[in-house]
Each structure stands twice: as structure tokens, then as C-alpha cells.
Amino acid sequence: MARTHVRSAATALAVAGAAAVGAFAWGTLVENTAFTLRRVSVPVLPAGARPIRVLHLSDLHMAPWQKHKQEWIRSLADLDIDLIVDTGDNLGHPDGLAGIEYAFERFRGIPGVFVHGSNDYYGPQAKNPLKYFTGPSKVATTAALLDNAALISYFDDLGWLDLNNSAGSLDLLGTHIEFFGVNDPHRHFDRLELIPGALEELRENDPYAEDATWPEDAPKVERPTLTVGVAHAPYQRVLDSFVTYGASLILAGHTHGGQVCLPGFGALVTNCDIPRRQAKGLSIWRHAFRSAYLNVSAGLGTSIYAPFRFACPPEATLLTLVPAR
């Protein structure tokens, strides 16, 4: 009887070990590069507005040797895209900008906006993954500095709006879109108190503003308007402020969707204080009797020191903005 129990225990351990090895191989060799385009429709536009197709990219953590990822991103330019929103953590290596430039070059001519994550400033570091269960990761004090100025210069060359603690606007397909955003909240680079002033200045300089002076022979035209908030890390203080400042749509990344998820349970951690159920995908964020649609991207990359995903494939999102019902 004792020998039977020993054999049963040994068999169970062998099965568990084989399952663990199989899951690790799947997460590292298959799912980590199983790039996916998630498509969602978001009813946020005014009545009668034309649909707007928005490509949301986040958390590329690009390294120069990641050719498959670069080619997959380039292929997204074949979609009928009206706007690109980049929510940060583009770089995953000191030489990652070369891969970003190659991947994004096919987007030249498409309007875009961007904010930064910490991995647009600091390189990756090896970390104990179990520490994520104790709370958001801490500031990396020994990480290599990345060439953030060169990244900004390239995005400027693409004509994209820098929304780091700032605001800007675009007119797309007859809809006026006001954007505001913050620098990386995870590293406390966000300056939420600057947003009201940035929006006020933006509206004062808008020729369509209520108090603008119009030529007598030019009738004032009413434009459909949408307000969008953009941040890298979806901390609750940021989401609440964005709703207060009038955002109808909020875009963020950072969480990697949990990166390691359990089927039927979801993300184990979020690396911020957003509820696990909203760690990826489209949801509603409510605050002070108001609400906004929130899209959190699971991102396209991981740290080069933790190239593993499970039940959470890397993704970009194509959001089709349509009139509210």
C-alpha cells in the first residue's frame, strides 16, 4: 500500500512538472508572439458624426531583434486608420528606437497622439515577479537611461501630438477631438493640476470657440466634439480626474492585461490600483455621477527579462468610434 502511494505521488509530481514545462514553453515560445488585433465599437460620437477608426498601440517594449513584432505592427498600416493613439512604454532596450522607427514608418501621414510610460525613459531591469503581488513595482534606480529626446523627435517628425501633461486638438472626418493627457502616472510624472489650464488655453485659441470673433460673411459652423483622455498607467486618481475634466473616452496601457492570467479568473496582478476586471479591454469608468468609456490595452510586448504571457496574448486595438445610441 505504501509503495502504491509513493508511485501515485511520483506520478502526480511528474504530471504537474510536465504541465508546468508545457505552460512555460507555450507562454514563452507561442503566446508571447501571438500578436492579436482586438476590434471594438465605442458609441461616443455625437449624432450624425462619421465613424472614426482609432488604432491604440501600447507597451511595445521594443528590442532591435524583435523583427516579427516590427513586421506585424507595420502590417496594421493596411487597415483604414484615421488616428493612432500611443500610450507609452515603446522602448525595451537602449537600441529599441531603431525598431520603433522601422515599425512606425508606414504610419507616416496618419494623425497621432502619444504619452510616455516609464520605459520611454528607463531601460528594463530584471525583477522578482513575485513582488508584483505586493503592489505596483518600484522606481528602478539602476536602470539605464533611454534616449527619450530621440523618441520625441521621431514622433514629432511623424506629426503626432505630445500629450504629456498637455492638451491638443484635431479635426477628423468632421468631428473636432480635444485630447488631454499626462506623463507616466506610475512614476508620478503626471501633473493632473495642469490639465484644466491646458484645456482652457486650447479652447481660447480655437477659432470655433463660443467667444471667437467671426467675419460677418462667414456663418459660424457647429462641429461635433469629442473629448479624449490619454495616459500610460490607469491609476484611479488619473481616471477619476479625466472623467471630472470631461473625457468621454479614456485610453491607457501599462497593465499588460495582467500578462499572466488564469482562464475564468483573469489577471492576477495589474501593477497599479485599477480593479482586476478592468485590467484590459473596454469597460466603463464611473466617477462622481459621470462616466467614460475606458480602453486598457494589454500591450504588444513584455520586458526582455520576462518574455512570457499566459491566457493574455499581446494585442493592439482597433476602436471604431460611432455615434452614441
Side-chain angles (χ1 to χ4, degrees):
M1 180 68 71
R3 290 181 179 177
T4 301
H5 286 311
V6 169
R7 285 197 298 269
S8 297
T11 300
L13 287 174
V15 170
V21 171
F24 182 80
W26 170 266
T28 304
L29 302 176
V30 180
E31 187 166 338
N32 192 47
T33 56
F35 303 115
T36 303
L37 180 66
R38 180 166 54 87
R39 299 171 184 259
V40 294
S41 180
V42 191
V44 291
L45 295 182
R50 296 169 60 186
I52 298 173
R53 290 161 64 89
V54 180
L55 179 63
H56 181 189
L57 300 173
S58 195
D59 297 88
L60 278 68
H61 295 281
M62 186 67 75
W65 59 80
Q66 295 172 337
K67 303 299 183 183
H68 177 45
K69 183 182 352 183
Q70 295 164 22
E71 293 294 347
W72 188 85
I73 294 169
R74 285 173 63 86
S75 73
L76 299 176
D78 295 331
L79 302 170
D80 186 14
I81 301 168
D82 302 308
L83 173 70
I84 297 172
V85 177
D86 183 304
T87 50
D89 271 9
N90 290 279
L91 305 177
H93 186 276
D95 298 323
L97 181 56
I100 291 293
E101 291 176 344
Y102 178 74
F104 283 11
E105 193 58 30
R106 289 198 66 206
F107 298 142
R108 187 174 292 278
I110 301 175
V113 300
F114 70 94
V115 294
H116 290 324
S118 63
N119 286 125
D120 296 314
Y121 295 101
Y122 306 106
Q125 254 191 332
K127 298 175 183 177
N128 180 354
L130 295 178
K131 288 188 175 180
Y132 285 98
F133 288 95
T134 66
S137 58
K138 306 301 181 183
V139 175
T141 56
T142 60
L145 291 177
L146 301 176
D147 195 346
N148 178 259
L151 178 68
I152 293 176
S153 177
Y154 178 66
F155 286 167
D156 284 345
D157 187 55
L158 290 177
W160 292 4
L161 295 177
D162 185 342
L163 297 179
N164 288 290
N165 299 322
S166 186
S169 65
L170 291 170
D171 289 287
L172 293 176
L173 302 176
T175 294
H176 181 64
I177 306 180
E178 292 183 342
F179 299 93
F180 62 85
V182 290
N183 207 334
D184 183 27
H186 188 60
R187 294 296 182 238
H188 300 283
F189 296 160
D190 55 306
R191 296 286 304 280
L192 289 165
E193 72 277 8
L194 298 180
I195 299 304
L199 283 171
E200 183 178 359
E201 181 179 358
L202 181 72
R203 292 164 183 169
E204 285 178 350
N205 294 326
D206 182 1
Y208 287 82
E210 289 296 328
D211 57 352
T213 301
W214 284 72
E216 294 182 0
D217 59 346
K220 188 171 181 179
V221 179
E222 294 296 331
R223 297 172 302 169
T225 299
L226 171 69
T227 303
V228 178
V230 184
H232 173 64
Y235 280 86
Q236 293 190 34
R237 69 177 190 276
V238 174
L239 303 180
D240 289 348
S241 294
F242 280 12
V243 171
T244 297
Y245 297 149
S248 298
L249 173 64
I250 303 171
L251 302 178
H254 175 70
T255 65
H256 295 192
Q259 190 165 324
V260 175
C261 299
L262 292 181
F265 181 80
L268 300 178
V269 296
T270 66
N271 201 21
C272 65
D273 63 358
I274 193 173
R276 287 187 307 100
R277 68 182 184 278
Q278 292 176 281
K280 64 179 176 181
L282 186 69
S283 64
I284 300 291
W285 188 262
R286 294 180 172 85
H287 173 66
F289 303 104
R290 301 180 66 178
S291 64
Y293 283 94
L294 168 66
N295 188 70
V296 178
S297 173
L300 283 168
T302 65
S303 168
I304 58 176
Y305 295 107
F308 180 87
R309 283 178 177 262
F310 192 81
C312 186
E315 68 170 24
T317 313
L318 182 65
L319 301 99
T320 301
L321 311 185
V322 298
R325 290 184 288 273

